[in-house]
Amino acid sequence: MKDWVINLTVVLADGTVIKTRRRPRKSSAGYNLNGLFVGSEGTLGLVTEATLKLAVVPEEFSVAVVTFPTIRDAASAAAEVMQTGVPIAAMEIMDEVQMKVVNLGGATAPRLWKEMPTLFFKFAGTKASVKENIARVQAITKNNKGSNFEFAKDLREQKLLWSARKESLWSMLSLRKEGEEVWSTDVAVPFSRLADIIEVSKKEMDDLGLFASILGHIGDGNFHESIIYNRTKKEELDKVEKCVKNMVKRALDMEGTCTGEHSIGWGKKDSLLLEVGPDTLGVMKQIKAALDPLWIMNPGKIMDLP
Ligand SMILES: *[C@@H]1O[C@H](CO)[C@@H](O)[C@H](O)[C@H]1NC(C)=O
Ligand SMILES: *[C@@H]1O[C@H](CO)[C@@H](O)[C@H](O)[C@H]1NC(C)=O
């Protein structure tokens, strides 16, 4: 989102209404307030209007799906695609558990998916470039033990191939039974560490003995763990929390971030401190204090009340 916002109307804590205004492609006029307000989780002001950039609608789209023997192979292929610089519109990963979840959910029936680690690709551009990029991705995935490469021949197939990705969250939520919750959390790391962190995190998650899966926006180095646990059982909650904390710690050790898109909220305040350190967190606190001295904007999120 931060890359698409050009202007916001924001109501500040004292009632002042401001516009951030950065209409041209570039501007070096003062601080980048768009960047400050986007992702501030409502702690600095209320956004009441947003003006976004428009993008050119590409001439051609396509979608491809590839399976891999292990999640590590899938993540390595994804990293190689990014590091080679093949232009793709989106790249998503789902592990074998998540593919099974989609099959169980039945939302994409009658199609049944191979229950293997899977990458989903979206291509956009001219007809010629889409064709070329599909061929390049096909070669890279093959090199990383990818197989069952399928690409959509028309709009209907595109929708069908992408549907598993679209339905994944809902399919997971629909599996909850009495007293169960889904703990869904994310981290992001540089591409060079993607395969490492996904492999180790998946192993630790599988060892919990709970129903758990990995999926994510792997084209951004960002992935999610979704774990179903019984919220009435303290020991289950504790072990899930420990597993998530370990994943965050691992991401930070790899120069990653404790959250790619879910943000800090209540749950990751400790992780934010670990990630940026006390001095940087101190600057964030000063910004918060300057804009919201009475602490009325979403209090307690991102950082503790003073
Ligand atoms: C933001 O500024 C642009 C350029 O001046 C203007 O076109 C747009 O309507 C403004 N948006 C809002 C939300 O005020
Ligand atoms: C969750 O735990 C409670 C006991 O704490 C139990 O009654 C309930 O059946 C459990 N739910 C499932 C789906 O196992």
Side-chain angles (χ1 to χ4, degrees):
M1 180 52 72
K2 69 180 193 308
D3 298 327
W4 293 96
V5 170
I6 57 176
N7 187 8
L8 295 171
T9 306
V10 185
V11 181
L12 301 179
D14 67 359
T16 314
V17 179
I18 64 159
K19 285 186 189 285
T20 57
R21 283 190 212 287
R22 285 174 98 86
R23 171 71 184 81
R25 263 177 186 260
K26 71 196 258 194
S27 165
S28 54
Y31 300 143
N32 179 356
L33 296 186
N34 286 336
L36 184 65
F37 286 108
V38 174
S40 64
E41 303 182 43
T43 59
L44 300 178
L46 294 177
V47 174
T48 55
E49 289 178 302
T51 304
L52 306 182
K53 276 182 210 169
L54 294 178
V56 177
V57 178
E59 174 189 313
E60 178 90 350
F61 283 100
S62 193
V63 164
V65 177
V66 198
T67 62
F68 294 84
T70 68
I71 193 90
R72 187 182 178 93
D73 294 319
S76 301
E80 196 177 326
V81 167
M82 296 311 291
Q83 286 166 333
T84 323
V86 186
I88 44 167
M91 180 163 61
E92 301 278 321
I93 195 168
M94 287 171 44
D95 69 1
E96 69 284 1
V97 177
Q98 192 59 54
M99 297 310 291
K100 183 185 170 126
V101 167
V102 174
N103 282 340
L104 283 173
T108 68
R111 192 185 172 101
L112 276 187
W113 303 87
K114 290 216 158 49
E115 292 173 6
M116 294 171 76
T118 303
L119 286 181
F120 292 77
F121 294 92
K122 217 175 235 183
F123 301 92
T126 60
K127 277 197 165 58
S129 71
V130 165
K131 198 169 160 212
E132 183 194 333
N133 295 334
I134 289 179
R136 289 177 72 189
V137 163
Q138 195 164 13
I140 292 172
T141 53
K142 201 167 164 205
N143 251 338
N144 288 278
K145 311 197 190 87
S147 56
N148 304 309
F149 191 100
E150 277 188 82
F151 71 93
K153 285 167 204 79
D154 54 34
L155 202 66
R156 200 190 56 86
E157 281 191 18
Q158 276 177 33
K159 285 213 172 106
L160 192 68
L161 285 184
W162 203 257
S163 60
R165 175 62 191 93
K166 269 217 142 110
E167 293 299 334
S168 57
L169 175 67
W170 314 113
S171 308
M172 189 82 178
L173 290 175
S174 71
L175 290 181
R176 281 173 305 175
K177 293 192 219 78
E178 185 64 32
E180 289 182 338
E181 272 313 333
V182 177
W183 190 310
S184 169
T185 189
D186 78 318
V187 295
V189 294
F191 292 124
S192 53
R193 305 308 304 273
L194 204 50
D196 297 332
I197 190 168
I198 287 193
E199 182 175 44
V200 183
S201 301
K202 176 153 172 69
K203 166 100 185 43
E204 188 182 1
M205 201 182 65
D206 288 346
D207 290 346
L208 289 174
L210 297 173
F211 198 85
S213 73
I214 279 188
L215 77 163
H217 320 296
I218 194 127
D220 294 327
N222 178 208
F223 70 93
H224 304 254
E225 282 188 349
S226 300
I227 308 172
I228 296 187
Y229 66 100
N230 188 331
R231 71 176 129 74
T232 66
K233 289 190 178 148
K234 173 101 178 38
E235 68 284 5
E236 252 177 46
L237 185 68
D238 288 348
K239 74 179 181 181
V240 173
E241 185 166 14
K242 181 156 178 284
C243 174
V244 168
K245 287 233 152 97
N246 289 344
M247 175 174 77
V248 167
K249 174 79 180 30
R250 209 170 284 135
L252 297 182
D253 288 345
M254 295 179 178
E255 295 180 79
T257 175
C258 65
T259 173
E261 61 185 22
H262 286 200
S263 302
I264 302 297
W266 302 113
K268 280 187 172 165
K269 288 189 264 192
D270 299 350
S271 310
L272 178 64
L273 175 62
L274 278 181
E275 179 168 337
V276 301
D279 292 345
T280 302
L281 188 59
V283 172
M284 293 184 191
K285 286 182 173 164
Q286 285 178 35
I287 293 171
K288 169 73 176 168
L291 286 175
D292 182 17
L294 299 178
W295 218 272
I296 58 176
M297 296 287 180
N298 213 2
K301 300 285 173 62
I302 305 184
M303 57 194 77
D304 288 323
L305 276 69

